[in-house]
Amino acid sequence: MKKEESEESISLESTRKFLSFSFIYSMLFNRLSKTELDDYHKISDFYDEGCIFNIEVNLEKRGSLYVDYKMLCIFYQEIQKRIPNSYCCMTGPLIANRILLYLSRDTKNDSIDEQLFRKEQREIAEEIRKMLIAQGKFKVNIGIGSWRPISEIGISYDESLRCARYRENLTVSMIEDKEYNGKVYEYRELKKKFLASVKYGDEKSLTLFSQIMEQIAILNLDTQKNLLLELLVLSVEEVYSENDARIEETIDFIGYAEELSKLEEKELNGWAYTKFQYLTKILRQRYIDKKGYVIKNVKAYLEEHYDENISLQDAANEAGMTPQYFSTIFKQSTGQNFIEWLSEFRIKKAKEYLDEPGAVIKEVCFKVGYNDPNYFSRIFKKISGVTPKEYMS
């Protein structure tokens, strides 16, 4: 009889464990419907608001002890022991080197101090981390996403992934941590500046890249590799158009990814600088070539349509660029902004018309794209130093 009860207890525990695995996976990746949630509620205790713990474990084999299915079962049991009774914890399956927890609690009827509430979750994570280290002598990072209704739990999951990748003297980090958020913001700003420098062929790009390398050095090796590959792809996209076949001819992204996957930490910096020096060189040349080609075509378009009401937006559309980007490269190429160049060209044409016998200033005004003779006269004098009438005489 006792043997049957023991087997029944083990079977029930296994059922709960697999149910928990299924729930976590379905909640995060399949987006459970209300009906499915109701079904889970019938067979398991959890609340419809909570947060995600992302536990990242170093999978390096240490003797005969490493993370496998058997070890995960031990983790599952030990994790549950460290969850206070006021919480419900659903443990997810091992995904690569990651274990996910959904920590939930009923907060509707409690008067909760937000800071103490989140501090309690940090303490739970610390206890779990210590247990994992004791079990296998692993390196462990835990990221904790924000507390959210279950319909928004995907946001908490994304936050927990980002937090666990950040490890400057932190083994447990929360999305609210000022130190964490400051670093993330700083990196994003650096990335924007770097990509802008690549887009405009700025020689400062390598200096900015050096700052990025310093910034990401605190992250784990896999995260550094992912960010570097992302920068490679984004840098190329800043300069090449989507349909430009020369991307495939010049950049071997698959090869880069394969090379990155084999690098050790001590080799990463040398590889990264070599690749980005090469990349920025060819992208700068590509930018110069593209800029010259685009400006040449736009000038031809303006010289043909100068008598029309042409705006900066019209010229940018002709170049296939945003007005801001077009304005920047136009000035870099010509030394003038768009309006200055167009005005000078129109006045040049106006002089040709005024040199013709019987020329009428008002008619010339309209011929070169101006609708107001007074405005035309002011622009003419500003550029030529004399009014149209003075020029004719």
Side-chain angles (χ1 to χ4, degrees), residues 42-261:
K42 291 174 184 176
I43 52 179
S44 183
D45 295 325
F46 64 91
Y47 300 99
D48 288 344
E49 58 176 37
C51 67
I52 296 295
F53 280 28
N54 173 36
I55 305 171
E56 293 194 356
V57 183
N58 186 327
L59 290 180
E60 179 183 353
K61 190 170 180 178
R62 298 178 181 277
S64 61
L65 190 62
Y66 58 98
V67 175
D68 59 8
Y69 180 75
K70 183 178 179 181
M71 183 58 64
L72 181 61
C73 292
I74 296 173
F75 290 172
Y76 174 84
Q77 295 167 359
E78 294 298 322
I79 284 170
Q80 293 298 325
K81 291 177 183 178
R82 284 157 178 79
I83 306 300
N85 292 333
S86 55
Y87 289 88
C88 173
C89 178
M90 303 286 269
T91 308
L94 179 67
I95 302 175
N97 66 325
R98 183 179 301 128
I99 302 169
L100 300 175
L101 309 182
Y102 173 58
L103 198 70
S104 64
R105 176 176 166 175
D106 185 7
T107 60
K108 293 177 182 176
N109 300 320
D110 296 338
S111 178
I112 293 177
D113 182 301
E114 182 99 14
Q115 289 186 337
L116 292 176
F117 183 52
R118 293 294 274 168
K119 181 184 176 187
E120 184 179 44
Q121 289 148 38
R122 188 191 294 272
E123 290 169 351
I124 294 170
E126 288 286 2
E127 285 297 313
I128 293 172
R129 186 186 68 84
K130 291 175 184 176
M131 176 274 294
L132 292 173
I133 292 172
Q135 289 284 340
K137 297 181 181 178
F138 301 111
K139 294 178 182 178
V140 180
N141 276 354
I142 301 181
I144 306 174
S146 54
W147 192 270
R148 291 181 174 272
I150 202 167
S151 60
E152 299 176 4
I153 206 63
I155 298 173
S156 183
Y157 168 66
D158 291 339
E159 292 169 344
S160 72
L161 294 183
R162 297 202 305 272
C163 285
R165 291 171 180 164
Y166 173 74
R167 58 175 182 84
E168 185 176 33
N169 302 321
L170 282 176
T171 47
V172 172
S173 54
M174 304 181 79
I175 195 65
E176 296 94 339
D177 291 342
K178 291 182 180 178
E179 189 176 10
Y180 165 77
N181 280 325
K183 291 292 182 182
V184 170
Y185 176 79
E186 189 177 334
Y187 171 75
R188 287 174 179 168
E189 290 302 303
L190 264 178
K191 184 169 78 171
K192 286 180 186 176
K193 291 178 181 178
F194 171 73
L195 292 175
S197 71
V198 170
K199 174 186 276 190
Y200 299 129
D202 194 333
E203 294 183 357
K204 293 179 181 178
S205 57
L206 281 176
T207 302
L208 290 167
F209 179 69
S210 296
Q211 294 175 13
I212 286 176
M213 290 300 293
E214 292 174 8
Q215 185 81 358
I216 68 174
I218 61 174
L219 302 172
N220 62 54
L221 183 59
D222 286 340
T223 303
Q224 290 183 59
K225 291 178 179 180
N226 287 337
L227 292 176
L228 285 174
L229 192 58
E230 177 194 40
L231 279 177
L232 281 167
V233 174
L234 292 177
S235 297
V236 173
E237 287 188 349
E238 288 292 350
V239 179
Y240 286 79
S241 64
E242 292 182 2
N243 299 318
D244 196 330
R246 287 180 61 190
I247 295 179
E248 296 175 3
E249 296 171 8
T250 311
I251 310 297
D252 178 15
F253 289 123
I254 294 176
Y256 283 1
E258 290 175 350
E259 288 177 27
L260 265 173
S261 67

Side-chain angles (χ1 to χ4, degrees), residues 73 93 110 187 197 224 272 289 293 297 349 360 365-366 368 378:
C73 292
D110 296 338
Y187 171 75
S197 71
Q224 290 183 59
D289 294 345
Y293 175 77
N297 281 357
K349 297 301 291 184
V360 178
C365 164
F366 296 136
V368 295
R378 289 198 301 272

Side-chain angles (χ1 to χ4, degrees), residues 297-298 301-302 305 308-323 326 338-339 342 346:
N297 281 357
V298 171
Y301 169 78
L302 295 176
H305 299 275
E308 300 173 10
N309 185 20
I310 302 174
S311 66
L312 174 63
Q313 181 69 62
D314 296 329
N317 289 342
E318 183 67 21
M321 302 174 179
T322 64
F326 170 74
F338 166 74
I339 294 299
L342 181 59
R346 282 172 165 172

Side-chain angles (χ1 to χ4, degrees), residues 271-316:
W271 182 92
Y273 279 104
T274 299
K275 288 294 185 268
F276 273 91
Q277 281 178 333
Y278 167 74
L279 184 67
T280 51
K281 180 179 178 180
I282 62 171
L283 291 182
R284 190 178 298 119
Q285 187 58 51
R286 169 64 176 166
Y287 171 78
I288 292 169
D289 294 345
K290 179 180 179 181
K291 182 173 66 174
Y293 175 77
V294 167
I295 297 305
K296 180 181 178 181
N297 281 357
V298 171
K299 281 183 177 179
Y301 169 78
L302 295 176
E303 289 172 3
E304 185 177 348
H305 299 275
Y306 67 90
D307 57 336
E308 300 173 10
N309 185 20
I310 302 174
S311 66
L312 174 63
Q313 181 69 62
D314 296 329

